[in-house]
Amino acid sequence: STLKPGDAFTAKGLEETRAYLNDLQLFKVVSVTPLFTAGVRSTTLPLAIRVEEAPRLSGKVGVGYGTEDKFRAFADLTYKGLFGGPTRLNLNVKHSALDPYYINIKWVHPRFLSRQTALTVNPFLRRQTEPGFETRSLGLNLPVNTRINEQLDASLGYYYAAVTQFGVEGDVLVPDPESPNLLYNKSGITAALTYRTAKPLLTPEAGFQVQMGAKVNGYIFGGDYHFTRLWVDARQYSTISHFVLSLRAMGGLLSATSEDSFVPVEERFYTGGSTSNRGWARSMLGPLRNSGSPAGGKSLLELNMELRRPLFWLLDAAVFVDAGNVWTASLHYPLNELAYAAGAGLRLNTPIGPVRLDVSRPLWH
């Protein structure tokens, strides 16, 4: 625990001890209670720590539906306390129209080097079917995640992936492909930083959140293409009377230094759809190929404003305006080329997150 014999008693230390034990995910009940005795004065305060061990083996399944991913399902199996320590082994399998299969195996050490740092070993197999590409990836992620404080998290990791790209008739997805299927390797490092004060977690009403990420592929790490991918996503939430105002801005930049400046299609930026500009279908805002499929780009800008108000029971109403676009050139953000859309929707707030129904259409387009 974080409290040691001889430490001065503080309520914050008590809560940190409880959170430390709870974060191990080995217990389903954690209670840390000071034992005060009426009428007795002492310089020593005993603590009662009560834990109830969680089942070693647990699992869950789920199904759902979305207009973009259609029918979706997942199965998740976790074994805790592997080899008697705090480590855990997790198997997660997902299916949807966008991910016909996505198999993740994760071995997690939640106290790697320090109590704030976790190491994950994550081999995976994934098939993606997006409007602009279709790929199969077999690879390995090795991220190290660090909790700096209650609001700030950081991660740094290495990744490798062998990618098979399935060509689409009439589309040039790779430089001078010799066959319909192209196999190439990606290898590099990723880094991310998240600062969050927004609460509550699933439906924030106040605070803000900033996420920044970077990916460096190739160079000293090998891989068939050399590129750097940067992005930042900032969100602000404010409660005004009975309304919640949500603001979001996201920007992305891709820089390629390969001889032909080529970036694999699955690494490019796309916009349009239920989580970006809702006036367009998924990935369909931005550069298009001759066949009409999205080509993606190297510069991204998205802006969203949404106003929510409770109606009754668990139901909220929302109105929103979205703006954004994707450009083929790197570091290119002409504001006069932003595409706008507006709409309205309903939110059903469930214990696992809101169910959204939105209707939107483009403006001045």
Side-chain angles (χ1 to χ4, degrees), residues 98-136:
L98 300 175
D99 287 302
Y101 54 81
Y102 192 2
I103 303 171
N104 268 295
I105 299 175
K106 292 183 179 180
W107 179 82
V108 182
H109 193 306
R111 295 294 179 264
F112 179 68
L113 299 181
S114 73
R115 66 183 183 89
Q116 294 92 359
T117 304
L119 168 68
T120 301
V121 180
N122 170 216
F124 66 89
L125 175 63
R126 185 181 190 184
R127 179 73 176 256
Q128 287 182 271
T129 305
E130 291 282 352
F133 62 88
E134 184 175 355
T135 60
R136 181 179 64 232

Side-chain angles (χ1 to χ4, degrees), residues 178-344:
E178 297 179 358
S179 65
N181 296 351
L182 180 76
L183 177 67
Y184 53 89
N185 297 322
K186 296 188 298 184
S187 178
I189 60 171
T190 59
L193 196 66
T194 301
Y195 185 83
R196 179 185 176 93
T197 63
K199 295 182 179 179
L201 180 63
L202 298 178
T203 54
E205 298 177 356
F208 65 96
Q209 174 179 303
V210 178
Q211 293 180 309
M212 296 180 288
K215 172 184 280 191
V216 179
N217 188 85
Y219 305 103
I220 63 175
F221 305 99
D224 294 323
Y225 303 111
H226 295 174
F227 63 86
T228 301
R229 193 177 196 268
L230 306 172
W231 58 269
V232 59
D233 187 327
R235 307 179 185 215
Q236 171 71 45
Y237 304 93
S238 305
T239 298
I240 308 169
S241 184
H242 298 293
F243 295 88
V244 175
L245 177 64
S246 170
L247 303 174
R248 173 180 177 262
M250 180 175 179
L253 165 67
L254 266 169
S255 175
T257 58
S258 301
E259 186 175 337
D260 51 15
S261 297
F262 182 78
V263 176
V265 287
E266 74 277 9
E267 296 289 351
R268 301 174 193 171
F269 292 112
Y270 299 87
T271 191
S274 64
T275 59
S276 55
N277 195 314
R278 286 162 277 191
W280 276 261
R282 184 178 178 88
S283 303
M284 295 304 293
L285 174 56
L288 301 178
R289 305 186 184 98
N290 293 334
S291 64
S293 64
K298 296 178 181 177
S299 297
L300 166 73
L301 182 61
E302 294 177 351
L303 304 170
N304 307 91
M305 179 175 68
E306 181 169 297
L307 193 64
R308 303 195 311 263
R309 190 188 193 284
L311 293 178
F312 58 89
W313 189 47
L314 302 176
L315 198 64
D316 294 352
V319 293
F320 55 85
V321 176
D322 300 329
N325 214 334
V326 169
W327 296 272
T328 54
S330 183
L331 202 61
H332 181 70
Y333 308 95
L335 298 183
N336 63 333
E337 295 182 9
L338 289 178
Y340 297 86

Side-chain angles (χ1 to χ4, degrees), residues 116-118 143-149 151-157 190-195 210 212:
Q116 294 92 359
T117 304
V144 176
N145 301 290
T146 300
R147 170 64 58 90
I148 299 174
N149 56 43
Q151 292 82 30
L152 187 61
D153 294 301
S155 69
L156 180 66
T190 59
L193 196 66
T194 301
Y195 185 83
V210 178
M212 296 180 288

